[in-house]
Amino acid sequence: MPVERVWLDVPYAEKDAAKRGGARWDPAAKRWYAPRPGMAELARWAAAADVPELLPGEDRTLGDGLFVDLVPRTCWFTHVRSCVAQTDWERLRRMVTRRAGRRCEACGAGEDRETRRWLEVHERWTFDAAARVQILKRLICLCTDCHTVTHFGLAQVRGVEEQAFAHLVKVTGMSEPQAREHVRAAFDVWEDRSRYAWELDLGILTGAGIALAPPPGAGERAQAAASVPRQSPPPPARSGFPARKGGERA
């Protein structure tokens, strides 16, 4: 009878240390494991219980499909990965990709090492304008290409706007004029939301037993965002978007 594997929660940044300690990689499960029980060198990565596939209060219907979903400037530096311990982030990432069947939930693509297309976790937020609260409502699995479209401001700063625009058109079936209007409307919403400081509500994580690292306060985030050098990359001729200052950061 095969011995049940001793699974580990190893953050990506610590994979080399885990490997030196004797951990092995299961390419099918995409997870590290201890080859035998009781290996003291790997105790720090002992796996916690799996995160439930539906987080308490999560809305799995929110934000289906592919669309530009910009993070307000005053909400930079508050993505989930920066607010939880790295081992908990690994648990969340594993749950989100597993429940999506290891496929992008926007375009259906899987990982492709040759093209450097990976599966990544993206947050869907709602914004309570009256209370000025940014509320995490869903975690969604997106491939690198769709995630780049979602953060279109970062695509501009990184010089891949044309590729992101082409992927948006391909996946959504929009015409190029419709896609240009969609991006412009998303930036209008971004500019409006960026006028305000938002408090953070990560209740769907704490309800699942995820411990949070205190995120920067709204005022601190605004100061940090203001210190980031503004950039105005020239837009590619194909998409024809006006240059946007400051780009976007998750």
Side-chain angles (χ1 to χ4, degrees):
M1 179 180 296
V3 177
E4 184 176 351
R5 285 182 170 169
V6 181
W7 296 111
L8 305 171
D9 289 333
V10 180
Y12 182 81
E14 299 175 20
K15 62 182 179 62
D16 292 336
K19 187 175 181 179
R20 288 193 297 270
R24 297 179 183 173
W25 176 252
D26 184 324
K30 297 187 180 298
R31 190 172 180 184
W32 292 93
Y33 67 95
R36 62 183 183 277
M39 296 182 66
E41 302 91 336
L42 302 177
R44 61 188 282 197
W45 297 294
D50 285 342
V51 176
E53 288 206 349
L54 183 65
L55 298 170
E58 185 179 18
D59 183 356
R60 292 289 310 283
T61 68
L62 178 68
D64 281 335
L66 181 61
F67 56 93
V68 177
D69 188 23
L70 305 174
V71 178
R73 184 176 176 83
T74 48
C75 298
W76 290 353
F77 317 110
T78 60
H79 54 292
V80 169
R81 190 169 186 170
S82 69
C83 294
V84 302
Q86 286 302 295
T87 51
D88 277 346
W89 171 254
E90 174 60 23
R91 294 167 64 214
L92 285 167
R93 184 203 62 78
R94 186 170 64 244
M95 180 275 286
V96 172
T97 56
R98 182 182 63 237
R99 76 180 182 185
R102 304 194 193 286
R103 293 281 173 179
C104 175
E105 294 184 72
C107 73
E111 288 188 343
D112 186 335
R113 298 183 70 88
E114 290 188 4
T115 62
R116 301 186 65 80
R117 183 180 66 224
W118 312 110
L119 294 179
E120 303 167 359
V121 177
H122 176 66
E123 302 99 344
R124 296 292 195 209
W125 305 90
T126 58
F127 292 83
D128 183 335
R132 298 282 185 257
V133 178
Q134 173 194 0
I135 308 165
L136 179 65
K137 295 297 291 183
R138 180 185 181 185
L139 295 177
I140 185 171
C141 178
L142 296 179
C143 69
T144 301
D145 297 335
C146 288
H147 208 181
T148 300
V149 171
T150 300
H151 292 294
F152 203 87
L154 276 176
Q156 289 182 322
V157 171
R158 292 171 177 167
V160 294
E161 177 183 8
E162 184 173 1
Q163 297 94 310
F165 182 76
H167 190 70
L168 175 65
V169 169
K170 176 184 176 182
V171 173
T172 63
M174 295 180 189
S175 66
E176 291 196 6
Q178 287 172 329
R180 282 194 289 271
E181 181 55 35
H182 169 76
V183 175
R184 288 195 183 96
F187 271 103
D188 287 344
V189 171
W190 175 77
E191 288 173 346
D192 180 64
R193 287 177 176 165
S194 294
R195 294 185 297 140
Y196 306 104
W198 302 85
E199 294 301 326
L200 200 61
D201 183 340
L202 298 175
I204 69 171
L205 300 183
T206 56
I210 300 295
L212 302 180
E220 295 174 275
R221 297 197 305 268
Q223 290 176 2
S227 69
V228 174
R230 291 174 176 262
Q231 303 180 55
S232 300
R238 176 172 178 173
S239 59
F241 300 116
R244 299 282 180 166
K245 292 186 177 182
E248 180 210 10
R249 281 166 176 75

